[in-house]
Amino acid sequence: MAKKKVKKRKEIKRKLLHKYRLVILNESTFEEKISFKLSRLNVFVTGSLFMIGLIGLTTLLIAFTPLREYIPGYSSTRLKKEATELTYKTDSLIRTLNYTNKYLDNIRMVLKGDIENTVVNRDSLFQQYKLDPASVDLSPIKEDSLLRAEVALEDKYNLFERTIDKKNLVLFTPVTGSISMGFNPNEKHYAVDVTAVTDSPVKAVANGTVIFSE
């Protein structure tokens, strides 16, 4: 029995590994076009791999393409979207229906006289938000006083042009006379000298503070 089994195995192995040649000939000239060296084992392995690849490709096409909608039991994307929208609309309608029923119940209770009409004093509602000025300390704090003094000191000797409304500004000559010496930074003369009659009034263009007079 053991010898028969071994012999049978060898016969099966021989058949699987036995080489065959597949030849494609021209029918008219019997010219050999293509030839393949095959065995039963190679054909079986190649066919199995081909079937596995075909099954995998089919699975991918069904799983990731709209083709799955044609398979019984699968729902389409459009149906899922419509179902989701209907769910949202249903929730909104239920919420609106609950509000309406509650509103009608309140009206029904009012018509039956189950609710007493309470008078609300309007002044009492705003009483808690009223503020007594006497209870508020309006005196400036130390930091505020120091800041005010610092700003006033800076503005007192500020020689730069201030931001003013120039629409209502009227320009005129401060004093009438002839210029004896103009502005000359090279000679450290940072002013314009104007000669005028003694005791002539000198007018200012805008409000300010005299910081130097000679």
Side-chain angles (χ1 to χ4, degrees), residues 43-92:
V43 173
F44 177 76
V45 172
T46 304
S48 300
L49 293 177
F50 178 76
M51 292 298 295
I52 292 173
L54 184 61
I55 294 173
L57 181 61
T58 305
T59 305
L60 292 176
L61 288 175
I62 294 175
F64 298 101
T65 61
L67 292 175
R68 63 179 180 271
E69 297 179 3
Y70 297 98
I71 300 177
Y74 280 94
S75 60
S76 63
T77 306
R78 181 177 57 83
L79 291 177
K80 289 183 179 179
K81 184 177 180 181
E82 291 179 355
T84 304
E85 292 178 354
L86 289 176
T87 302
Y88 291 152
K89 290 181 180 180
T90 304
D91 293 339
S92 301

mmCIF file of all heavy atoms in Angstrom, residues 43-92:
data_model
loop_
_atom_site.group_PDB
_atom_site.id
_atom_site.type_symbol
_atom_site.label_atom_id
_atom_site.label_comp_id
_atom_site.label_asym_id
_atom_site.label_seq_id
_atom_site.Cartn_x
_atom_site.Cartn_y
_atom_site.Cartn_z
ATOM 1 N N VAL A 43 0.084 26.333 -15.685
ATOM 2 C CA VAL A 43 -1.258 26.741 -16.113
ATOM 3 C C VAL A 43 -2.179 26.900 -14.907
ATOM 4 O O VAL A 43 -2.962 27.857 -14.802
ATOM 5 C CB VAL A 43 -1.828 25.710 -17.113
ATOM 6 C CG1 VAL A 43 -3.291 26.019 -17.430
ATOM 7 C CG2 VAL A 43 -0.992 25.691 -18.391
ATOM 8 N N PHE A 44 -2.077 25.969 -13.957
ATOM 9 C CA PHE A 44 -2.931 26.047 -12.762
ATOM 10 C C PHE A 44 -2.606 27.296 -11.925
ATOM 11 O O PHE A 44 -3.505 28.019 -11.484
ATOM 12 C CB PHE A 44 -2.748 24.774 -11.936
ATOM 13 C CG PHE A 44 -3.513 24.779 -10.647
ATOM 14 C CD1 PHE A 44 -4.880 24.570 -10.633
ATOM 15 C CD2 PHE A 44 -2.856 25.007 -9.433
ATOM 16 C CE1 PHE A 44 -5.588 24.585 -9.440
ATOM 17 C CE2 PHE A 44 -3.563 25.030 -8.245
ATOM 18 C CZ PHE A 44 -4.928 24.818 -8.244
ATOM 19 N N VAL A 45 -1.284 27.556 -11.722
ATOM 20 C CA VAL A 45 -0.879 28.725 -10.923
ATOM 21 C C VAL A 45 -1.275 30.016 -11.624
ATOM 22 O O VAL A 45 -1.815 30.956 -11.011
ATOM 23 C CB VAL A 45 0.632 28.680 -10.652
ATOM 24 C CG1 VAL A 45 1.079 29.977 -9.990
ATOM 25 C CG2 VAL A 45 0.978 27.486 -9.768
ATOM 26 N N THR A 46 -1.031 30.105 -12.939
ATOM 27 C CA THR A 46 -1.372 31.320 -13.688
ATOM 28 C C THR A 46 -2.873 31.560 -13.685
ATOM 29 O O THR A 46 -3.355 32.677 -13.493
ATOM 30 C CB THR A 46 -0.855 31.203 -15.130
ATOM 31 O OG1 THR A 46 0.553 30.943 -15.118
ATOM 32 C CG2 THR A 46 -1.128 32.480 -15.904
ATOM 33 N N GLY A 47 -3.638 30.478 -13.899
ATOM 34 C CA GLY A 47 -5.096 30.629 -13.872
ATOM 35 C C GLY A 47 -5.602 31.049 -12.508
ATOM 36 O O GLY A 47 -6.520 31.878 -12.399
ATOM 37 N N SER A 48 -5.019 30.496 -11.451
ATOM 38 C CA SER A 48 -5.451 30.878 -10.095
ATOM 39 C C SER A 48 -5.141 32.356 -9.818
ATOM 40 O O SER A 48 -5.989 33.083 -9.265
ATOM 41 C CB SER A 48 -4.749 29.996 -9.062
ATOM 42 O OG SER A 48 -5.065 28.638 -9.273
ATOM 43 N N LEU A 49 -3.929 32.796 -10.174
ATOM 44 C CA LEU A 49 -3.575 34.199 -9.976
ATOM 45 C C LEU A 49 -4.479 35.121 -10.791
ATOM 46 O O LEU A 49 -4.892 36.194 -10.326
ATOM 47 C CB LEU A 49 -2.105 34.437 -10.347
ATOM 48 C CG LEU A 49 -1.064 33.768 -9.435
ATOM 49 C CD1 LEU A 49 0.339 34.021 -9.968
ATOM 50 C CD2 LEU A 49 -1.188 34.276 -8.010
ATOM 51 N N PHE A 50 -4.796 34.710 -12.018
ATOM 52 C CA PHE A 50 -5.691 35.515 -12.848
ATOM 53 C C PHE A 50 -7.077 35.625 -12.220
ATOM 54 O O PHE A 50 -7.687 36.699 -12.189
ATOM 55 C CB PHE A 50 -5.764 34.909 -14.252
ATOM 56 C CG PHE A 50 -6.705 35.635 -15.162
ATOM 57 C CD1 PHE A 50 -6.354 36.859 -15.722
ATOM 58 C CD2 PHE A 50 -7.958 35.095 -15.449
ATOM 59 C CE1 PHE A 50 -7.232 37.524 -16.564
ATOM 60 C CE2 PHE A 50 -8.837 35.763 -16.283
ATOM 61 C CZ PHE A 50 -8.480 36.988 -16.850
ATOM 62 N N MET A 51 -7.589 34.526 -11.705
ATOM 63 C CA MET A 51 -8.911 34.539 -11.072
ATOM 64 C C MET A 51 -8.907 35.398 -9.814
ATOM 65 O O MET A 51 -9.856 36.169 -9.567
ATOM 66 C CB MET A 51 -9.331 33.108 -10.733
ATOM 67 C CG MET A 51 -9.600 32.236 -11.951
ATOM 68 S SD MET A 51 -10.945 32.842 -12.968
ATOM 69 C CE MET A 51 -12.310 32.666 -11.826
ATOM 70 N N ILE A 52 -7.839 35.310 -9.007
ATOM 71 C CA ILE A 52 -7.761 36.119 -7.782
ATOM 72 C C ILE A 52 -7.697 37.615 -8.141
ATOM 73 O O ILE A 52 -8.368 38.449 -7.523
ATOM 74 C CB ILE A 52 -6.534 35.689 -6.947
ATOM 75 C CG1 ILE A 52 -6.726 34.283 -6.394
ATOM 76 C CG2 ILE A 52 -6.306 36.677 -5.792
ATOM 77 C CD1 ILE A 52 -5.503 33.727 -5.697
ATOM 78 N N GLY A 53 -6.886 37.941 -9.164
ATOM 79 C CA GLY A 53 -6.812 39.341 -9.591
ATOM 80 C C GLY A 53 -8.131 39.841 -10.129
ATOM 81 O O GLY A 53 -8.535 40.981 -9.857
ATOM 82 N N LEU A 54 -8.820 39.010 -10.901
ATOM 83 C CA LEU A 54 -10.125 39.412 -11.442
ATOM 84 C C LEU A 54 -11.143 39.623 -10.332
ATOM 85 O O LEU A 54 -11.928 40.587 -10.347
ATOM 86 C CB LEU A 54 -10.610 38.333 -12.421
ATOM 87 C CG LEU A 54 -11.915 38.639 -13.155
ATOM 88 C CD1 LEU A 54 -11.763 39.886 -14.000
ATOM 89 C CD2 LEU A 54 -12.324 37.446 -14.030
ATOM 90 N N ILE A 55 -11.132 38.725 -9.348
ATOM 91 C CA ILE A 55 -12.062 38.883 -8.215
ATOM 92 C C ILE A 55 -11.737 40.149 -7.425
ATOM 93 O O ILE A 55 -12.639 40.900 -7.016
ATOM 94 C CB ILE A 55 -11.997 37.629 -7.307
ATOM 95 C CG1 ILE A 55 -12.533 36.406 -8.047
ATOM 96 C CG2 ILE A 55 -12.781 37.858 -6.011
ATOM 97 C CD1 ILE A 55 -12.353 35.102 -7.297
ATOM 98 N N GLY A 56 -10.434 40.425 -7.193
ATOM 99 C CA GLY A 56 -10.056 41.644 -6.468
ATOM 100 C C GLY A 56 -10.439 42.894 -7.223
ATOM 101 O O GLY A 56 -10.945 43.871 -6.630
ATOM 102 N N LEU A 57 -10.209 42.914 -8.540
ATOM 103 C CA LEU A 57 -10.589 44.079 -9.344
ATOM 104 C C LEU A 57 -12.095 44.299 -9.333
ATOM 105 O O LEU A 57 -12.579 45.435 -9.218
ATOM 106 C CB LEU A 57 -10.082 43.890 -10.774
ATOM 107 C CG LEU A 57 -10.380 45.037 -11.757
ATOM 108 C CD1 LEU A 57 -9.723 46.321 -11.280
ATOM 109 C CD2 LEU A 57 -9.909 44.676 -13.156
ATOM 110 N N THR A 58 -12.854 43.212 -9.430
ATOM 111 C CA THR A 58 -14.319 43.325 -9.387
ATOM 112 C C THR A 58 -14.783 43.868 -8.036
ATOM 113 O O THR A 58 -15.696 44.704 -7.954
ATOM 114 C CB THR A 58 -14.958 41.962 -9.656
ATOM 115 O OG1 THR A 58 -14.465 41.448 -10.904
ATOM 116 C CG2 THR A 58 -16.465 42.071 -9.718
ATOM 117 N N THR A 59 -14.142 43.394 -6.970
ATOM 118 C CA THR A 59 -14.505 43.887 -5.630
ATOM 119 C C THR A 59 -14.228 45.378 -5.491
ATOM 120 O O THR A 59 -15.039 46.131 -4.928
ATOM 121 C CB THR A 59 -13.732 43.101 -4.561
ATOM 122 O OG1 THR A 59 -13.976 41.696 -4.722
ATOM 123 C CG2 THR A 59 -14.148 43.540 -3.166
ATOM 124 N N LEU A 60 -13.076 45.823 -5.992
ATOM 125 C CA LEU A 60 -12.745 47.246 -5.926
ATOM 126 C C LEU A 60 -13.723 48.085 -6.739
ATOM 127 O O LEU A 60 -14.144 49.174 -6.304
ATOM 128 C CB LEU A 60 -11.308 47.476 -6.418
ATOM 129 C CG LEU A 60 -10.188 46.912 -5.529
ATOM 130 C CD1 LEU A 60 -8.839 47.128 -6.191
ATOM 131 C CD2 LEU A 60 -10.209 47.560 -4.155
ATOM 132 N N LEU A 61 -14.071 47.620 -7.923
ATOM 133 C CA LEU A 61 -15.035 48.360 -8.747
ATOM 134 C C LEU A 61 -16.387 48.469 -8.063
ATOM 135 O O LEU A 61 -17.047 49.513 -8.109
ATOM 136 C CB LEU A 61 -15.185 47.662 -10.108
ATOM 137 C CG LEU A 61 -14.006 47.791 -11.081
ATOM 138 C CD1 LEU A 61 -14.253 46.962 -12.327
ATOM 139 C CD2 LEU A 61 -13.764 49.251 -11.453
ATOM 140 N N ILE A 62 -16.797 47.405 -7.403
ATOM 141 C CA ILE A 62 -18.096 47.430 -6.733
ATOM 142 C C ILE A 62 -18.050 48.300 -5.483
ATOM 143 O O ILE A 62 -19.009 49.017 -5.157
ATOM 144 C CB ILE A 62 -18.538 45.995 -6.391
ATOM 145 C CG1 ILE A 62 -18.797 45.206 -7.677
ATOM 146 C CG2 ILE A 62 -19.781 45.998 -5.510
ATOM 147 C CD1 ILE A 62 -19.122 43.741 -7.459
ATOM 148 N N ALA A 63 -16.919 48.275 -4.768
ATOM 149 C CA ALA A 63 -16.843 48.995 -3.485
ATOM 150 C C ALA A 63 -16.654 50.492 -3.668
ATOM 151 O O ALA A 63 -17.170 51.290 -2.869
ATOM 152 C CB ALA A 63 -15.706 48.426 -2.641
ATOM 153 N N PHE A 64 -15.910 50.914 -4.697
ATOM 154 C CA PHE A 64 -15.545 52.323 -4.818
ATOM 155 C C PHE A 64 -16.120 53.005 -6.050
ATOM 156 O O PHE A 64 -15.687 54.104 -6.405
ATOM 157 C CB PHE A 64 -14.013 52.460 -4.845
ATOM 158 C CG PHE A 64 -13.344 51.968 -3.600
ATOM 159 C CD1 PHE A 64 -12.740 50.727 -3.562
ATOM 160 C CD2 PHE A 64 -13.332 52.746 -2.447
ATOM 161 C CE1 PHE A 64 -12.118 50.261 -2.420
ATOM 162 C CE2 PHE A 64 -12.712 52.291 -1.293
ATOM 163 C CZ PHE A 64 -12.108 51.046 -1.271
ATOM 164 N N THR A 65 -17.041 52.419 -6.719
ATOM 165 C CA THR A 65 -17.689 53.035 -7.876
ATOM 166 C C THR A 65 -19.201 52.932 -7.722
ATOM 167 O O THR A 65 -19.704 52.137 -6.926
ATOM 168 C CB THR A 65 -17.246 52.345 -9.182
ATOM 169 O OG1 THR A 65 -17.629 50.972 -9.139
ATOM 170 C CG2 THR A 65 -15.733 52.449 -9.371
ATOM 171 N N PRO A 66 -19.960 53.723 -8.485
ATOM 172 C CA PRO A 66 -21.426 53.647 -8.413
ATOM 173 C C PRO A 66 -22.018 52.332 -8.902
ATOM 174 O O PRO A 66 -23.242 52.177 -8.870
ATOM 175 C CB PRO A 66 -21.874 54.813 -9.305
ATOM 176 C CG PRO A 66 -20.717 55.746 -9.348
ATOM 177 C CD PRO A 66 -19.504 54.872 -9.290
ATOM 178 N N LEU A 67 -21.173 51.404 -9.349
ATOM 179 C CA LEU A 67 -21.708 50.120 -9.814
ATOM 180 C C LEU A 67 -22.402 49.341 -8.703
ATOM 181 O O LEU A 67 -23.254 48.485 -8.969
ATOM 182 C CB LEU A 67 -20.576 49.261 -10.407
ATOM 183 C CG LEU A 67 -19.954 49.774 -11.712
ATOM 184 C CD1 LEU A 67 -18.787 48.897 -12.115
ATOM 185 C CD2 LEU A 67 -21.005 49.804 -12.825
ATOM 186 N N ARG A 68 -22.022 49.627 -7.441
ATOM 187 C CA ARG A 68 -22.635 48.890 -6.328
ATOM 188 C C ARG A 68 -24.128 49.196 -6.198
ATOM 189 O O ARG A 68 -24.863 48.442 -5.552
ATOM 190 C CB ARG A 68 -21.930 49.240 -5.020
ATOM 191 C CG ARG A 68 -22.042 50.684 -4.597
ATOM 192 C CD ARG A 68 -21.334 50.907 -3.265
ATOM 193 N NE ARG A 68 -21.426 52.293 -2.841
ATOM 194 C CZ ARG A 68 -20.560 53.228 -3.164
ATOM 195 N NH1 ARG A 68 -19.530 52.910 -3.930
ATOM 196 N NH2 ARG A 68 -20.704 54.477 -2.753
ATOM 197 N N GLU A 69 -24.583 50.309 -6.811
ATOM 198 C CA GLU A 69 -25.997 50.639 -6.722
ATOM 199 C C GLU A 69 -26.860 49.653 -7.503
ATOM 200 O O GLU A 69 -28.059 49.549 -7.261
ATOM 201 C CB GLU A 69 -26.226 52.060 -7.242
ATOM 202 C CG GLU A 69 -25.513 53.129 -6.410
ATOM 203 C CD GLU A 69 -25.725 54.518 -6.965
ATOM 204 O OE1 GLU A 69 -26.478 54.631 -7.965
ATOM 205 O OE2 GLU A 69 -25.154 55.477 -6.418
ATOM 206 N N TYR A 70 -26.246 48.963 -8.472
ATOM 207 C CA TYR A 70 -27.006 48.007 -9.277
ATOM 208 C C TYR A 70 -27.083 46.631 -8.630
ATOM 209 O O TYR A 70 -27.731 45.727 -9.167
ATOM 210 C CB TYR A 70 -26.370 47.883 -10.668
ATOM 211 C CG TYR A 70 -26.413 49.172 -11.440
ATOM 212 C CD1 TYR A 70 -25.308 50.018 -11.474
ATOM 213 C CD2 TYR A 70 -27.555 49.560 -12.134
ATOM 214 C CE1 TYR A 70 -25.326 51.207 -12.180
ATOM 215 C CE2 TYR A 70 -27.595 50.750 -12.840
ATOM 216 C CZ TYR A 70 -26.477 51.573 -12.860
ATOM 217 O OH TYR A 70 -26.520 52.756 -13.561
ATOM 218 N N ILE A 71 -26.400 46.476 -7.497
ATOM 219 C CA ILE A 71 -26.458 45.193 -6.794
ATOM 220 C C ILE A 71 -27.633 45.217 -5.823
ATOM 221 O O ILE A 71 -27.780 46.178 -5.053
ATOM 222 C CB ILE A 71 -25.134 44.926 -6.048
ATOM 223 C CG1 ILE A 71 -23.979 44.879 -7.042
ATOM 224 C CG2 ILE A 71 -25.198 43.639 -5.255
ATOM 225 C CD1 ILE A 71 -22.627 44.695 -6.380
ATOM 226 N N PRO A 72 -28.476 44.218 -5.839
ATOM 227 C CA PRO A 72 -29.613 44.197 -4.890
ATOM 228 C C PRO A 72 -29.127 44.240 -3.446
ATOM 229 O O PRO A 72 -28.192 43.524 -3.075
ATOM 230 C CB PRO A 72 -30.322 42.872 -5.215
ATOM 231 C CG PRO A 72 -29.904 42.546 -6.614
ATOM 232 C CD PRO A 72 -28.508 43.066 -6.755
ATOM 233 N N GLY A 73 -29.747 45.105 -2.648
ATOM 234 C CA GLY A 73 -29.373 45.237 -1.252
ATOM 235 C C GLY A 73 -28.569 46.488 -0.946
ATOM 236 O O GLY A 73 -28.484 46.903 0.206
ATOM 237 N N TYR A 74 -27.966 47.108 -1.972
ATOM 238 C CA TYR A 74 -27.223 48.335 -1.788
ATOM 239 C C TYR A 74 -28.126 49.511 -2.111
ATOM 240 O O TYR A 74 -28.850 49.508 -3.106
ATOM 241 C CB TYR A 74 -26.000 48.373 -2.706
ATOM 242 C CG TYR A 74 -24.822 47.578 -2.200
ATOM 243 C CD1 TYR A 74 -24.628 46.265 -2.595
ATOM 244 C CD2 TYR A 74 -23.901 48.140 -1.330
ATOM 245 C CE1 TYR A 74 -23.559 45.518 -2.138
ATOM 246 C CE2 TYR A 74 -22.825 47.404 -0.866
ATOM 247 C CZ TYR A 74 -22.660 46.097 -1.268
ATOM 248 O OH TYR A 74 -21.597 45.360 -0.821
ATOM 249 N N SER A 75 -28.071 50.540 -1.270
ATOM 250 C CA SER A 75 -28.839 51.764 -1.505
ATOM 251 C C SER A 75 -27.961 52.783 -2.209
ATOM 252 O O SER A 75 -26.766 52.882 -1.945
ATOM 253 C CB SER A 75 -29.355 52.336 -0.180
ATOM 254 O OG SER A 75 -28.267 52.641 0.672
ATOM 255 N N SER A 76 -28.551 53.579 -3.088
ATOM 256 C CA SER A 76 -27.793 54.555 -3.856
ATOM 257 C C SER A 76 -27.475 55.776 -2.996
ATOM 258 O O SER A 76 -28.109 56.035 -1.956
ATOM 259 C CB SER A 76 -28.584 54.985 -5.090
ATOM 260 O OG SER A 76 -29.792 55.633 -4.711
ATOM 261 N N THR A 77 -26.500 56.538 -3.455
ATOM 262 C CA THR A 77 -26.117 57.769 -2.745
ATOM 263 C C THR A 77 -27.245 58.780 -2.749
ATOM 264 O O THR A 77 -27.460 59.508 -1.776
ATOM 265 C CB THR A 77 -24.865 58.360 -3.395
ATOM 266 O OG1 THR A 77 -23.842 57.375 -3.444
ATOM 267 C CG2 THR A 77 -24.357 59.555 -2.598
ATOM 268 N N ARG A 78 -27.974 58.843 -3.849
ATOM 269 C CA ARG A 78 -29.083 59.791 -3.945
ATOM 270 C C ARG A 78 -30.159 59.469 -2.922
ATOM 271 O O ARG A 78 -30.716 60.375 -2.278
ATOM 272 C CB ARG A 78 -29.667 59.743 -5.359
ATOM 273 C CG ARG A 78 -30.821 60.720 -5.583
ATOM 274 C CD ARG A 78 -31.286 60.642 -7.024
ATOM 275 N NE ARG A 78 -31.690 59.298 -7.376
ATOM 276 C CZ ARG A 78 -32.899 58.789 -7.122
ATOM 277 N NH1 ARG A 78 -33.819 59.531 -6.495
ATOM 278 N NH2 ARG A 78 -33.205 57.559 -7.479
ATOM 279 N N LEU A 79 -30.445 58.172 -2.746
ATOM 280 C CA LEU A 79 -31.457 57.790 -1.765
ATOM 281 C C LEU A 79 -31.009 58.126 -0.343
ATOM 282 O O LEU A 79 -31.807 58.581 0.494
ATOM 283 C CB LEU A 79 -31.756 56.298 -1.879
ATOM 284 C CG LEU A 79 -32.474 55.854 -3.156
ATOM 285 C CD1 LEU A 79 -32.634 54.342 -3.180
ATOM 286 C CD2 LEU A 79 -33.831 56.541 -3.274
ATOM 287 N N LYS A 80 -29.704 57.926 -0.052
ATOM 288 C CA LYS A 80 -29.202 58.279 1.277
ATOM 289 C C LYS A 80 -29.308 59.774 1.526
ATOM 290 O O LYS A 80 -29.679 60.220 2.624
ATOM 291 C CB LYS A 80 -27.746 57.828 1.412
ATOM 292 C CG LYS A 80 -27.567 56.319 1.507
ATOM 293 C CD LYS A 80 -26.110 55.959 1.702
ATOM 294 C CE LYS A 80 -25.921 54.448 1.833
ATOM 295 N NZ LYS A 80 -24.487 54.082 2.011
ATOM 296 N N LYS A 81 -28.963 60.580 0.504
ATOM 297 C CA LYS A 81 -29.056 62.035 0.651
ATOM 298 C C LYS A 81 -30.489 62.475 0.878
ATOM 299 O O LYS A 81 -30.767 63.317 1.740
ATOM 300 C CB LYS A 81 -28.482 62.702 -0.602
ATOM 301 C CG LYS A 81 -28.431 64.206 -0.523
ATOM 302 C CD LYS A 81 -27.794 64.791 -1.774
ATOM 303 C CE LYS A 81 -27.745 66.313 -1.694
ATOM 304 N NZ LYS A 81 -27.138 66.896 -2.938
ATOM 305 N N GLU A 82 -31.426 61.903 0.098
ATOM 306 C CA GLU A 82 -32.832 62.254 0.280
ATOM 307 C C GLU A 82 -33.336 61.822 1.650
ATOM 308 O O GLU A 82 -34.121 62.546 2.295
ATOM 309 C CB GLU A 82 -33.664 61.602 -0.824
ATOM 310 C CG GLU A 82 -33.408 62.185 -2.207
ATOM 311 C CD GLU A 82 -34.242 61.494 -3.274
ATOM 312 O OE1 GLU A 82 -34.929 60.511 -2.925
ATOM 313 O OE2 GLU A 82 -34.199 61.933 -4.435
ATOM 314 N N ALA A 83 -32.888 60.671 2.113
ATOM 315 C CA ALA A 83 -33.319 60.206 3.441
ATOM 316 C C ALA A 83 -32.803 61.130 4.542
ATOM 317 O O ALA A 83 -33.522 61.439 5.506
ATOM 318 C CB ALA A 83 -32.832 58.776 3.671
ATOM 319 N N THR A 84 -31.551 61.596 4.385
ATOM 320 C CA THR A 84 -30.997 62.519 5.382
ATOM 321 C C THR A 84 -31.762 63.832 5.392
ATOM 322 O O THR A 84 -32.090 64.378 6.457
ATOM 323 C CB THR A 84 -29.512 62.773 5.076
ATOM 324 O OG1 THR A 84 -28.817 61.527 5.041
ATOM 325 C CG2 THR A 84 -28.894 63.647 6.149
ATOM 326 N N GLU A 85 -32.056 64.370 4.200
ATOM 327 C CA GLU A 85 -32.814 65.626 4.132
ATOM 328 C C GLU A 85 -34.213 65.453 4.718
ATOM 329 O O GLU A 85 -34.719 66.354 5.415
ATOM 330 C CB GLU A 85 -32.893 66.086 2.679
ATOM 331 C CG GLU A 85 -31.548 66.521 2.090
ATOM 332 C CD GLU A 85 -31.663 66.936 0.638
ATOM 333 O OE1 GLU A 85 -32.775 66.772 0.070
ATOM 334 O OE2 GLU A 85 -30.667 67.429 0.078
ATOM 335 N N LEU A 86 -34.834 64.328 4.445
ATOM 336 C CA LEU A 86 -36.165 64.085 5.012
ATOM 337 C C LEU A 86 -36.108 63.978 6.533
ATOM 338 O O LEU A 86 -37.031 64.424 7.230
ATOM 339 C CB LEU A 86 -36.755 62.806 4.409
ATOM 340 C CG LEU A 86 -37.184 62.888 2.937
ATOM 341 C CD1 LEU A 86 -37.652 61.528 2.450
ATOM 342 C CD2 LEU A 86 -38.289 63.921 2.756
ATOM 343 N N THR A 87 -35.023 63.413 7.046
ATOM 344 C CA THR A 87 -34.878 63.322 8.509
ATOM 345 C C THR A 87 -34.780 64.707 9.127
ATOM 346 O O THR A 87 -35.418 65.007 10.153
ATOM 347 C CB THR A 87 -33.621 62.502 8.847
ATOM 348 O OG1 THR A 87 -33.741 61.198 8.260
ATOM 349 C CG2 THR A 87 -33.462 62.359 10.350
ATOM 350 N N TYR A 88 -33.971 65.599 8.504
ATOM 351 C CA TYR A 88 -33.861 66.967 9.013
ATOM 352 C C TYR A 88 -35.204 67.687 8.951
ATOM 353 O O TYR A 88 -35.604 68.397 9.888
ATOM 354 C CB TYR A 88 -32.813 67.739 8.208
ATOM 355 C CG TYR A 88 -31.396 67.265 8.420
ATOM 356 C CD1 TYR A 88 -30.427 67.412 7.437
ATOM 357 C CD2 TYR A 88 -31.020 66.658 9.616
ATOM 358 C CE1 TYR A 88 -29.122 66.968 7.638
ATOM 359 C CE2 TYR A 88 -29.727 66.214 9.823
ATOM 360 C CZ TYR A 88 -28.778 66.378 8.826
ATOM 361 O OH TYR A 88 -27.500 65.940 9.032
ATOM 362 N N LYS A 89 -35.910 67.531 7.833
ATOM 363 C CA LYS A 89 -37.207 68.200 7.695
ATOM 364 C C LYS A 89 -38.206 67.658 8.716
ATOM 365 O O LYS A 89 -38.998 68.419 9.278
ATOM 366 C CB LYS A 89 -37.732 68.005 6.278
ATOM 367 C CG LYS A 89 -36.950 68.765 5.212
ATOM 368 C CD LYS A 89 -37.539 68.536 3.828
ATOM 369 C CE LYS A 89 -36.756 69.304 2.769
ATOM 370 N NZ LYS A 89 -37.305 69.089 1.399
ATOM 371 N N THR A 90 -38.145 66.357 8.943
ATOM 372 C CA THR A 90 -39.059 65.775 9.933
ATOM 373 C C THR A 90 -38.797 66.316 11.334
ATOM 374 O O THR A 90 -39.730 66.642 12.082
ATOM 375 C CB THR A 90 -38.914 64.241 9.914
ATOM 376 O OG1 THR A 90 -39.150 63.751 8.598
ATOM 377 C CG2 THR A 90 -39.901 63.603 10.872
ATOM 378 N N ASP A 91 -37.500 66.436 11.687
ATOM 379 C CA ASP A 91 -37.169 67.001 13.005
ATOM 380 C C ASP A 91 -37.661 68.435 13.126
ATOM 381 O O ASP A 91 -38.190 68.842 14.176
ATOM 382 C CB ASP A 91 -35.660 66.941 13.219
ATOM 383 C CG ASP A 91 -35.143 65.511 13.348
ATOM 384 O OD1 ASP A 91 -35.963 64.628 13.660
ATOM 385 O OD2 ASP A 91 -33.939 65.283 13.129
ATOM 386 N N SER A 92 -37.495 69.224 12.057
ATOM 387 C CA SER A 92 -37.960 70.614 12.092
ATOM 388 C C SER A 92 -39.472 70.679 12.226
ATOM 389 O O SER A 92 -40.016 71.499 12.992
ATOM 390 C CB SER A 92 -37.505 71.345 10.824
ATOM 391 O OG SER A 92 -36.099 71.331 10.700
#
